Amino acid sequence: MVLLRASQLAIVLICIGAFALGEIHEVKQITAHKYKIEKVTDSSLRQALKSISHTNVKELDLSGNLLSVINAHDFAPLTNLEQLNLSSNVFSGSVDLQPLPKVRTIDLNNNFITDVLVGASVENLYAVNNNISRVDCQEAGESSNPKKFFLANNKLSSLLDLSAACRVRVETLDAKLNEIDTLNFGDLVGSSDTLRHLSLEDNFIFDVSNYPKVEFSRLDTLDLSSNKLAQMSVAFRAVAAAKSINLANNKFVLIGNITFSTSVTKFDLSGNGFQCETLKKFFEKNKHLQSYTMVSTRETCTGTTRHQGPYCCEDLSAPYADRLISLKQKEQSLYYGRGSEQNRVECERENQARQAKMKSIRNKYHVTVNEATYRERKKIMLNQEKAALEQKLPLVSGRVGEIESLVRESAEQLNLTTEGQNPLQLMRAIVQTFEDLHADEQTIQDQAIKDWEMHNQKDAPLSEENARLKKAVQGVDETLQSTNSTLLELSAKEQRLLKILKMDGQ
């Protein structure tokens, strides 16, 4: 009896100790080759992996836990692992999964990752709703299967944020809701014969190029909607074979000399502001597109009543330059807080639409967890944010010190009292001093203008008198010239008479 109680006590103590260390986990075998592990943490992951049949596992689901650190070598015993689900954990920073030799599908959705490294075997990478700005892939052979990348709602700024190996033999690239501002189709030249789906909607793309020249012969869908494009240049010939093209809600005004595939089933140019003539020429060259655009109802236009087909258009003499100037003026006015109410409303509407799409995609990949796990995840997230802020604190403090020194130095140069004054008070005093100096200079300038006006008022009568005297002198000069001319004539006549009289006296 004593021995039984001692055994029970030992079991209780082991369970309590295990719980305290966060090593209580649940392993579920979903199918013959698929396992799911729940309630696992960083400290209990290795133990959890040891509890499953290593050679039998092809799919491993670790989603919805509180894992913040991952070591790919921990999965080395799982020699047949092909699919690894790490979604909805709390991973941050860089995640290196290159040592996994056979894994073909990795799910990292809903984490806080900034960099991802994957092996050559990876064909499907799901990493939606992170902070990813870089993806690195190991090089794979030419016979490797095409790759699919789902990277929506991240921090990519260019296709070059995917390493060269990642951009070869890509079949699907979904990078919507990132921060890409320029697009070069040539960056995907290694996928010219494999790319089928390219989704880059809701970025900030304003310029498209194609160097080196590439044409995606197997492209099915292209989505560049809700960007900042103003011109459909000849670079779009790279995607002319696509069957579904969405270019809605950009800033398009001109279309270059482009002929799209006759296999098109969807073509959307709504929400732009084309020049009427460029749309007319485009449809003359692409008559087959009218059956996919003319069937829809006409757009409701703002600022114009013209249409070309279903799309709004404007009569612009210098369309591209005018549109760029307009966009630049709008940017400057919004930046300096002088934007019109219409521009402000438009900017808010675009921002709200983008935020709504980000929320929608977060909800789409949301994984429901229990309340305790949710609270713990929020705690970890807050701790991570705290740690990030603490790392920045020395830099911010240093800059604050530099600014404070500069403010005090400026105050001393202006002979302001600095003792007992905090930096904000000194800045206000400096601003007030310069405002006073500006007011004094303005007063001096105003007085100078008044003096100049008075001088002009006094100078006007003198100028008029001078003009009158000048005119009188000119009249006298003319009279004198006439008198001299008459005197010369009389002298000539006198000489002739004297000559005649002399001849008569002889």
Side-chain angles (χ1 to χ4, degrees):
M1 189 70 172
V2 174
L3 182 61
L4 176 61
R5 288 183 178 178
S7 299
Q8 290 175 338
L9 180 60
I11 292 173
V12 170
L13 291 175
I14 291 172
C15 290
I16 293 174
F19 182 80
L21 292 172
E23 295 178 347
I24 296 299
H25 54 266
E26 296 179 6
V27 179
K28 299 179 180 179
Q29 185 172 0
I30 310 301
T31 65
H33 303 289
K34 180 176 180 179
Y35 287 77
K36 179 173 177 60
I37 304 177
E38 297 178 342
K39 300 179 182 179
V40 66
T41 62
D42 295 336
S43 59
S44 63
L45 179 58
R46 287 186 181 180
Q47 182 181 352
L49 292 175
K50 290 178 181 179
S51 65
I52 58 179
S53 175
H54 293 164
T55 58
N56 197 40
V57 181
K58 290 186 177 180
E59 299 181 42
L60 180 60
D61 187 351
L62 291 169
S63 64
N65 286 292
L66 296 172
L67 298 172
S68 61
V69 179
I70 195 76
N71 186 342
H73 295 288
D74 292 341
F75 299 90
L78 307 180
T79 54
N80 291 317
L81 185 62
E82 296 180 356
Q83 298 184 33
L84 178 61
N85 188 346
L86 298 170
S87 65
S88 298
N89 279 276
V90 287
F91 297 115
S92 61
S94 180
V95 171
D96 185 358
L97 299 173
Q98 291 183 108
L100 303 178
K102 292 186 179 181
V103 172
R104 294 185 293 109
T105 299
I106 296 176
D107 191 338
L108 292 167
N109 291 337
N110 300 327
N111 281 284
F112 309 93
I113 301 165
T114 58
D115 302 88
V116 182
L117 296 86
V118 296
S121 61
V122 171
E123 300 170 7
N124 306 295
L125 175 61
Y126 298 87
V128 177
N129 299 329
N130 279 277
N131 298 312
I132 294 172
S133 59
R134 179 70 181 174
V135 180
D136 278 295
C137 304
Q138 286 182 329
E139 291 189 12
E142 295 182 359
S143 60
S144 61
N145 292 327
K147 297 185 282 286
K148 297 179 181 179
F149 294 102
F150 299 90
L151 302 168
N153 197 19
N154 278 287
K155 305 293 183 182
L156 298 174
S157 60
S158 167
L159 293 183
L160 296 178
D161 289 337
L162 279 68
S163 68
C166 291
R167 289 180 277 117
V168 176
R169 297 190 58 75
V170 177
E171 180 180 296
T172 298
L173 176 56
D174 184 348
K176 58 177 168 282
L177 289 165
N178 275 268
E179 299 176 356
I180 301 171
D181 54 11
T182 59
L183 170 62
N184 180 13
F185 290 125
D187 291 337
L188 293 173
V189 65
S191 302
S192 60
D193 59 346
T194 59
L195 188 65
R196 298 181 69 90
H197 307 283
L198 181 59
S199 299
L200 296 171
E201 63 267 33
D202 290 286
N203 278 274
F204 304 98
I205 301 171
F206 68 90
D207 184 45
V208 173
S209 58
N210 185 22
Y211 180 81
K213 290 184 178 180
V214 61
E215 293 183 6
F216 302 107
S217 57
R218 302 186 63 194
L219 190 62
D220 287 330
T221 60
L222 170 70
D223 196 335
L224 282 172
S225 60
S226 300
N227 278 284
K228 308 296 180 183
L229 292 166
Q231 181 179 18
M232 195 186 305
S233 65
V234 293
F236 278 82
R237 291 174 182 171
V239 294
K243 298 178 178 62
S244 174
I245 300 175
N246 189 353
L247 300 172
N249 300 318
N250 274 276
K251 309 295 181 183
F252 280 119
V253 62
L254 290 178
I255 304 178
N257 184 19
I258 308 170
T259 303
F260 286 91
S261 170
T262 55
S263 300
V264 171
T265 58
K266 178 183 177 182
F267 196 87
D268 194 350
L269 290 175
S270 59
N272 287 286
F274 288 99
Q275 182 203 34
C276 294
E277 186 64 22
T278 196
L279 268 183
K280 180 181 178 182
K281 291 181 179 179
F282 176 72
F283 282 129
E284 288 175 352
K285 184 176 287 292
N286 294 271
K287 290 183 173 63
H288 58 287
L289 295 180
Q290 296 192 22
S291 60
Y292 302 105
T293 57
M294 300 291 283
V295 292
S296 60
T297 58
R298 283 191 169 190
E299 286 186 280
T300 300
C301 304
T302 56
T304 180
T305 58
R306 296 289 308 278
H307 284 83
Q308 188 67 43
Y311 301 125
C312 303
C313 66
E314 302 176 58
D315 292 321
L316 303 171
S317 57
Y320 190 62
D322 290 347
R323 181 59 52 84
L324 287 182
I325 292 172
S326 174
L327 291 174
K328 192 65 178 178
Q329 289 175 340
K330 176 182 175 182
E331 175 190 347
Q332 292 294 320
S333 63
L334 290 172
Y335 181 78
Y336 289 107
R338 298 193 295 267
S340 66
E341 181 64 17
Q342 179 181 350
N343 288 341
R344 186 188 64 79
V345 171
E346 180 182 351
C347 187
E348 286 185 356
R349 183 172 62 249
E350 291 178 355
N351 184 57
Q352 289 173 358
R354 181 179 173 84
Q355 293 298 321
K357 292 176 181 177
M358 294 172 69
K359 182 178 179 180
S360 175
I361 201 167
R362 282 194 294 267
N363 292 336
K364 179 179 178 181
Y365 293 94
H366 175 72
V367 174
T368 303
V369 295
N370 60 54
E371 186 64 24
T373 302
Y374 176 78
R375 287 198 301 268
E376 190 65 24
R377 178 177 297 158
K378 292 292 292 185
K379 179 180 177 181
I380 293 174
M381 289 167 54
L382 291 173
N383 285 334
Q384 289 175 344
E385 292 178 5
K386 178 184 176 183
L389 291 173
E390 287 175 346
Q391 288 180 350
K392 294 180 181 178
L393 185 60
L395 178 61
V396 173
S397 299
R399 290 179 177 175
V400 170
E402 292 176 4
I403 293 173
E404 182 175 352
S405 298
L406 182 60
V407 168
R408 292 192 178 278
E409 181 180 345
S410 300
E412 290 172 356
Q413 290 176 354
L414 294 171
N415 296 321
L416 298 175
T417 301
T418 59
E419 186 175 354
Q421 301 288 316
N422 62 46
L424 182 58
Q425 292 172 325
L426 288 176
M427 288 184 69
R428 289 172 178 168
I430 291 171
V431 170
Q432 186 61 51
T433 300
F434 279 109
E435 287 180 351
D436 294 342
L437 291 173
H438 175 72
D440 293 342
E441 290 178 359
Q442 191 66 44
T443 301
I444 295 172
Q445 184 178 359
D446 292 342
Q447 186 60 45
I449 292 173
K450 289 180 181 179
D451 293 343
W452 174 254
E453 290 176 348
M454 290 181 61
H455 173 75
N456 287 339
Q457 291 175 358
K458 292 179 180 180
D459 191 55
L462 294 175
S463 298
E464 292 176 0
E465 181 65 17
N466 185 46
R468 187 185 64 79
L469 292 174
K470 186 176 181 180
K471 187 175 181 181
V473 170
Q474 185 177 358
V476 172
D477 288 341
E478 290 176 354
T479 302
L480 183 59
Q481 289 178 359
S482 177
T483 302
N484 288 337
S485 178
T486 304
L487 181 60
L488 289 173
E489 290 179 0
L490 291 174
S491 296
K493 289 180 180 180
E494 182 181 7
Q495 293 295 328
R496 286 198 297 275
L497 287 173
L498 289 174
K499 187 176 181 180
I500 294 170
L501 290 174
K502 188 175 180 180
M503 290 177 63
D504 290 342
Q506 292 178 351

